[in-house]
Amino acid sequence: MSSRVLRPGVAFPTPPSWPALLALLLGSALCLPGCSLLPFGADKDPALEGAAAPPAFSVQVQAPDDVRETLERHLELQRFRNLPDLQASELQRLLGAADANARELLGTMGYFAPTITIELIETPDDQTAPRSVRIGVQPGPQTRIVNANIAFADGKPEGGGKADKKEDEESQASARQQQLVRSDWSLPPGEPFTQSAWDTAKTGGLRQLQAHRHPAARIADSRAEIDADKHEARLDVTYDPGPAYRFGPLRVVGGQRYDPDGARRLAHLPTGAVYDEAQMLDAQLRLAGSGYYDAVFLTLDTEGSDPQAAPVVAQVQEASLQKLVFGPGFSTDGGARLSLEHIHNRMPGLGWRAVTKLALERESQLASTEWTDLPDENGWRWFAGGQALREARDGYRVNSGRLRSGSSKNTRNIDRNYFLQYDYANSQGTDAPPPRSALSLNYGWTGRYFDNPTAPTRGHGVALELGLGSTLQPPHDPFVRTLLRWQSLIPAGRVQDSAGRGRDARLALRTEAGAMLARESAQIPAPQLFLTGGDTSVRGYGYHSIGARSGNGQLYGGRYMAVGSVEWQRPIVYGGTMTDWESALFIDAGAVADRAGDLRPRVGLGAGLRWRSPVGPLQVDLAYGAKTRKLRLHLRLGYNF
C-alpha cells in the first residue's frame, strides 16, 4: 500500500505583457536627466525586441477534457513560454520539473497513477513558436472513497449532582447534531476523490457545527490516505465541537443617541436559548431594518465568558435623528414619480418613530404618515398612521382618506397585526358615487417561508386579512371583508453551465382572492373594494384597470376578486457561463365583480427577463392583454410578499 501527501494546485498569475513593461521602462528612462545620451533608440531597445519576438515555445496538452483544462491553466511551464532568449538547457530543466508538477495537479483531481509523456519538438517553420512541448496524459482510474470516518472529540464536562440532568440533555442534543453532520457528509463512499471535494466536505461539517450550538468548533485532525495502486481513498476527520453556547445579554457598542434597551427589544434575541447563527442574523436584520441604525454587526463573545450566557455584541453606527429624502422614480403602473420623505426617529414628547411621505404620480397624489413605537418585551409594538389619496378612475376622481391605529409583531417568518381603521371616500365627476365612510376592526397574518427574503428561489408565502366593520351612513350596514394571498416557488429542474455551476429553474404560482360581504345596498367606501391589474397582479393590463362596471361601462371597485398566475423562470447560460439573468414565460388571469357569479377573467400572457441585481431582482415583462388586444411593458424592481 502506498500513500501520498496532497497539496492543492496553485494557479500562478500570468506575467505582465512585454509591451506594458516596455512602456514602464521607457517612462522611467524619459524621467532620467540626460536621456538624449542613451546609447540606443527605441527601435533598437532589447526589451522592445524581446516583446516583438515570438514565444520561446508553445504548450499542447493532450488529455481527456475533464483534466486538460486544469493542466493548461495551472502548469508551471506556462509561466515561461514568453521569456525571450530562453536557453535550451534551461528549457530541459523546466521539462524535467513539468512531470512532477503535472502529477501533483492530477493528484488534486484524484488521479494518482497517470501515464505522462513529455516531448519537445523543434518547429522552426512555425510562425507562433520555434519549439513545441507536447504533454500526453493518460490519467488512469480516478481514486474513489472507500471509507469516510467522521469522529468528534469528547467534550463532555465532568461533574454530577444536580447538573446531571441538564448536562445529559445537552449531551443528547449535541449527539443528534453530530449524527446530522455524519448523515449530511458530502463525500460518502463511492464518490470520486478530489482535493477540492475533500476540503469542501470538511468545511461543510465544520459549518454545520458552528451554525448551531457550537460556534467555537474546529477541525482537530484530518487525514486522507491514498492507495495509488488500488485507487482507493480513506478519509478521517475529527472535529472538536467545543462547549455548547447559549445566548447571553445583548451589549451595544457605538450607540449614543438611542436607548440600548430599545436595541435589545428591536433585536428580540432569545436570551438563554441555544446559540443559533440564523437567529442572530435575523436579529441583525431587524436592527438594520429598524431605521435607527445605518450599520449593524452582531457577534457572539466566546472569549473568557460563560458559554451558558455568552454576551452578544452589537456594533452599531447610528442613523441621524432626522432625515429628509427626495427621490424621483418611474413605474409602468404609475408613470413618472416624485417623492419627498421625512423621517424623525424620536418624536418630541412621544418618542415614537415617524415617517411622513408625499408622492406625486401621473394619476395619483399621496400624503401619508406612519408612527411606530419601540416593541415591548414580547415583541408587540403600537402604531398609528393616516393617509390622504387622490387618484383618477374611469371618468372621475376619488379623494380618499384613512386613519389606522393598532399593534403589530414581526418575527422571523410571521407578521401579525390588529388595528382599528377609519375609511372615507368622496368622488368627483360624472356619475361619481356619493361620499362614503366606514369603521372596521381588522386582523392580518402573513407567513413567509422562502429561502431568501429579498430574492427567493424556493418556498411559499401565505397572507390573510380579515375585517369586521360597519358603514357610517344610515342605516349603518355591517360588512365582512376578507383577502387571501398565496405564492409558491417550486424547483423545476437544474440548469448547469460548462463549468458545472448551476441554478434551479422554477415554477412561480400565485393566487389572490378577496370578498366583501354586505347587503347589496350597503354604501362601502372605495378603498375597501377591489381592483386589480398591473405589474404585480394581471400583466397585460393597466394598474387597477380591472374592476366592476356600471351600466354605462364606468369602472369602479367590486366586491369580489380572483387572481391567478403561473410563471416558468429559467436561468440563462451564455457562452457556456451561468449569468445573473433568467428568462420567464407566464400567464395571468384576474377578475373583479359585484357578484361571485359574474366574475369573468381577463387573461394576460407574455415573456420577460429577470436580473439578479445587487438591490434585488429586476423584472422586465412584455405582456399581451387578450381582452384589450394590446401589448404592455411592465417593469418592477425588488421583491415583496
Side-chain angles (χ1 to χ4, degrees):
M1 179 179 294
S2 63
S3 62
R4 186 179 183 88
V5 178
L6 300 184
R7 295 195 303 273
V10 179
F12 292 94
T14 303
S17 63
W18 281 106
L21 184 58
L22 172 62
L24 179 62
L25 292 174
L26 288 177
S28 301
L30 291 175
C31 295
L32 295 174
C35 61
S36 62
L37 301 178
L38 292 174
F40 45 78
D43 58 335
K44 296 182 180 181
D45 191 333
L48 181 61
E49 293 178 355
F57 60 91
S58 63
V59 177
Q60 299 179 21
V61 178
Q62 299 173 345
D65 292 342
D66 58 342
V67 300
R68 187 185 66 253
E69 183 180 352
T70 299
L71 293 174
E72 289 177 340
R73 181 180 301 177
H74 298 300
L75 274 172
E76 293 185 17
L77 195 63
Q78 299 279 20
R79 299 172 55 203
F80 305 97
R81 287 188 305 114
N82 295 320
L83 286 181
D85 301 326
L86 183 67
Q87 300 298 319
S89 58
E90 181 63 17
L91 180 56
Q92 289 295 335
R93 188 192 68 80
L94 293 175
L95 296 181
D99 181 86
N101 180 221
R103 292 182 183 276
E104 184 176 21
L105 291 172
L106 290 167
T108 65
M109 295 180 282
Y111 299 101
F112 294 97
T115 299
I116 300 176
T117 59
I118 301 178
E119 185 179 8
L120 178 62
I121 302 174
E122 297 292 336
T123 56
D125 297 331
D126 194 332
Q127 297 296 321
T128 58
R131 287 165 288 187
S132 176
V133 177
R134 296 179 184 177
I135 303 176
V137 177
Q138 296 179 5
Q142 189 175 25
T143 298
R144 293 189 174 272
I145 312 299
V146 295
N147 182 56
N149 180 41
I150 299 98
F152 298 88
D154 185 7
K156 294 183 179 180
E158 297 181 358
K162 297 182 179 179
D164 282 349
K165 182 177 180 181
K166 181 178 179 181
E167 291 171 0
D168 185 58
E169 292 175 351
E170 290 283 0
S171 178
Q172 291 179 8
S174 293
R176 289 192 295 269
Q177 186 176 2
Q178 293 171 11
Q179 184 57 39
L180 187 62
V181 172
R182 290 189 177 98
S183 62
D184 291 344
W185 180 254
S186 63
L187 205 55
E191 289 293 313
F193 174 88
T194 67
Q195 186 67 44
S196 61
W198 171 223
D199 292 338
T200 299
K202 290 187 294 183
T203 304
L206 181 62
R207 287 292 300 128
Q208 274 190 276
L209 290 171
Q210 293 176 337
H212 183 73
R213 195 182 301 275
H214 299 288
R218 64 184 183 89
I219 298 177
D221 185 40
S222 67
R223 181 176 57 185
E225 293 185 355
I226 308 299
D227 188 330
D229 297 329
K230 295 182 178 180
H231 315 294
E232 295 177 347
R234 289 175 170 80
L235 309 180
D236 286 278
V237 59
T238 301
Y239 295 104
D240 181 4
Y245 279 81
R246 291 180 178 271
F247 287 123
L250 182 72
R251 186 169 70 239
V252 179
V253 176
Q256 297 178 348
R257 186 176 293 117
Y258 306 119
D259 185 4
D261 187 60
R264 179 183 60 81
R265 285 182 279 156
L266 284 167
H268 200 57
L269 202 61
T271 302
V274 172
Y275 169 81
D276 186 85
E277 185 180 63
Q279 286 188 330
M280 194 166 71
L281 290 176
D282 288 341
Q284 179 173 298
L285 289 174
R286 283 192 289 270
L287 284 172
S290 68
Y292 291 94
Y293 306 100
D294 290 333
V296 180
F297 184 65
L298 264 60
T299 56
L300 187 74
D301 184 3
T302 59
E303 299 293 333
S305 59
D306 180 10
Q308 294 300 302
V312 178
V313 180
Q315 296 177 317
V316 301
Q317 179 182 339
E318 293 182 323
S320 302
L321 186 63
Q322 297 189 63
K323 184 185 298 184
L324 191 64
V325 180
F326 172 77
F330 177 83
S331 71
T332 49
D333 278 344
R337 178 177 66 254
L338 291 176
S339 65
L340 182 65
E341 184 176 80
H342 176 261
I343 301 172
H344 199 305
N345 279 329
R346 195 171 60 220
M347 296 171 60
L350 193 59
W352 290 18
R353 184 172 189 265
V355 179
T356 303
K357 185 175 183 179
L358 298 174
L360 303 177
E361 292 188 355
R362 181 181 57 204
E363 302 293 342
S364 66
Q365 299 82 44
L366 170 70
S368 66
T369 184
E370 185 80 16
W371 303 353
T372 54
D373 190 13
L374 288 169
D376 61 18
E377 296 294 337
N378 295 318
W380 287 94
R381 60 195 305 173
W382 292 102
F383 68 88
Q387 73 171 37
L389 175 65
R390 178 180 175 88
E391 59 181 339
R393 293 283 176 86
D394 190 8
Y396 63 96
R397 286 189 171 274
V398 177
N399 302 316
S400 62
R402 170 173 290 175
L403 296 175
R404 175 185 292 182
S405 182
S407 185
S408 65
K409 181 178 181 179
N410 301 334
T411 59
R412 181 179 182 182
N413 297 115
I414 298 175
D415 296 346
R416 286 167 286 184
N417 60 77
Y418 58 87
F419 53 91
L420 185 66
Q421 179 171 294
Y422 167 76
D423 287 287
Y424 171 79
N426 182 20
S427 302
Q428 298 175 332
T430 305
D431 297 328
R436 299 173 178 178
S437 59
L439 189 67
S440 60
L441 182 63
N442 299 268
Y443 176 78
W445 185 95
T446 302
R448 301 178 182 89
Y449 306 94
F450 299 104
D451 60 342
N452 187 299
T454 58
T457 59
R458 65 177 64 200
H460 66 279
V462 181
L464 172 67
E465 298 176 17
L466 179 64
L468 306 175
S470 173
T471 61
L472 297 183
Q473 287 80 20
H476 304 292
D477 292 309
F479 63 82
V480 177
R481 185 182 190 275
T482 181
L483 179 65
L484 177 66
R485 295 184 295 120
W486 171 80
Q487 184 172 24
S488 183
L489 300 174
I490 304 172
R494 189 78 171 170
V495 178
Q496 289 187 328
D497 62 10
S498 58
R501 295 182 296 267
R503 293 204 310 270
D504 286 335
R506 70 196 69 88
L507 284 176
L509 308 178
R510 172 172 51 88
T511 187
E512 187 174 4
M516 168 64 72
L517 306 177
R519 287 200 315 168
E520 185 175 350
S521 60
Q523 301 295 303
I524 307 296
Q528 290 278 16
L529 299 174
F530 299 104
L531 291 167
T532 190
D535 300 342
T536 61
S537 54
V538 185
R539 288 160 288 187
Y541 300 84
Y543 177 66
H544 281 182
S545 64
I546 301 176
R549 296 281 177 175
S550 62
N552 59 2
Q554 193 174 49
L555 176 74
Y556 64 92
R559 297 192 178 190
Y560 293 89
M561 178 186 69
V563 175
S565 174
V566 178
E567 180 171 302
W568 181 50
Q569 303 168 358
R570 188 179 189 278
I572 296 176
V573 176
Y574 181 76
T577 302
M578 182 68 66
T579 70
D580 290 329
W581 292 85
E582 294 182 345
S583 61
L585 297 173
F586 60 85
I587 179 169
D588 301 339
V592 176
D594 271 337
R595 296 181 179 85
D598 293 337
L599 291 172
R600 299 292 183 269
R602 302 289 191 268
V603 177
L605 65 162
L609 293 173
R610 307 288 180 267
W611 178 45
R612 297 155 58 94
S613 78
V615 295
L618 173 65
Q619 176 177 310
V620 182
D621 292 321
L622 185 62
Y624 175 77
K627 181 68 175 179
T628 61
R629 297 184 179 180
K630 293 181 179 179
L631 286 172
R632 191 176 183 90
L633 180 67
H634 296 272
L635 302 174
R636 182 186 178 195
L637 178 62
Y639 175 86
N640 60 66
F641 177 83

